[in-house]
Amino acid sequence: MRRTLLLLVMVLVILPTATIAYRVISLQYPLLPTVPGRVWQLSVRGEVKAGQDGIRLAIAVPAADVARTVLNERIESGALDFFLSRDEHNRVAVWFTHDRPMLESINYTALILVRNRQTKLAQPPIGEYPSQVSPEEQALAMKRVRQWSELAPRARLQAILDSRNHIWQPLAAENRESQAWAKVQKKYGALTTLVILCQAAGLPARTAHGLPLAEGIYTVPLSWVETWTGSEWENVRIATGEILSNPTSLLPLARDIPVLRAFAGSASGFQWTLSRQPTSNWLLHFERITRSQRWLDQWSLFRLPTEFQETFRILLLTPISALLIGVLRNVVGFPTFGTFMPVLMALAFRNTGIVLGLGILALVIAIGYVFRRVLNSMRLLLVPRLSVLLTLVVACLTLVALVGNKIGLREFMAVGLLPIVILTMTIERFFVITEEAGVREGLRTAIGSGAVAAITYEIIHWESLQLTFFVYPELLSVVAALQVLL
């Protein structure tokens, strides 16, 4: 028998562990769903005016990856038509119309969850120069970096950056080759020049445009160069030539294309605003899972209507409460009125609060005890006696609600949600214990029940635990295993 139980426990533990590991490793779920990372609100606003061919405006917007999740996108297009497009590296919002004259405001807002993870971009083929660079210009760049061809990729990049004042930026032309290179620098600017040099040195590189992750209003996006050094992408700041040690300090919007492009019409007054945003952990996971097409996500509790999700947040933690009661009763030795009375009381305390809930519970039990002693002299049958106690409990709760309404305390008015049948049985149990074992034992049992209800209340209201079980409901199997072991 014991071997069978141990086998059952192993199955109950291994199965949920396997599914959670699959979610974390393959589906990129967070191991701890309660750790949200940093949440920023991005707002883009500006005006666009129609030209001869109407309006066609493209703005690069954040794309989701392992380091970022885009939530709550809101796009205002007014009278303009709108669509979103995406390629391998960029996600672009496009507003357009063929009508003119027209002046329209463009608005885009989104919440962006940023995690401390390196974005896993695919390595591009070596030698992908910008399309406008001629073969002669490529050959010239290769001569400039030939001296570092034997260095490791990271050292090669650092050598290019250390020599930025000699081969990166324009200098006085000393010979024919220097004159040709000065023309290349002047033609492409520092950003593209660095990309050309990296490509010539065998380091795949691309231009990137975006924003620094800091609160502020930006009228011109920041530009930098992303360079592959063999194992990861390095971000190089053009102004200083330094390699940024924290890639998550930047919010990339576009790679190898401008952030804002007006193909028809003209754009003016555009601003990008970043601000830190407090947000609910529930919202983050709701957005992530409800937009997923994976099979496991299709069966997530987040797919339930929102009005039912609140119920299941609490319901999923009641097995933990039952496990706790088993430990406190069978191992520690806490006395309680019944087996699951503390769980039901803790659920009811959600509306009254723990302090008021325990106070009202003590008051009703005290009044009920006095009334029960009066009924004892009448020698009523069990069912009629309990019916009278039930009526008393309802009358007491009604009175408490009226008092709460009079003094403006809503928690008192929520007492109608307390389990009246459980309260009735608790009064009966309290009276029987005091008659059989004394008032001291009755008070001890009442205090034990209140303590267990308070502990259970704290557990089922622990939002981090609620969210963990809501995202990974298979954890109920682990709870069942612990219950079997107990």
Side-chain angles (χ1 to χ4, degrees), residues 28 50-51 85 111 122 159 180 294 300 305 317 346 423 457 460:
Q28 297 296 320
S85 66
L111 289 180
R294 297 187 177 99
S300 169
L317 295 191
L423 281 174
Y457 172 85
I460 64 179

Side-chain angles (χ1 to χ4, degrees), residues 50-71:
Q52 292 294 324
D53 299 323
I55 293 173
R56 189 173 184 85
L57 178 75
I59 300 178
V61 295
D65 53 38
V66 296
R68 282 165 289 274
T69 301
V70 181
L71 310 168

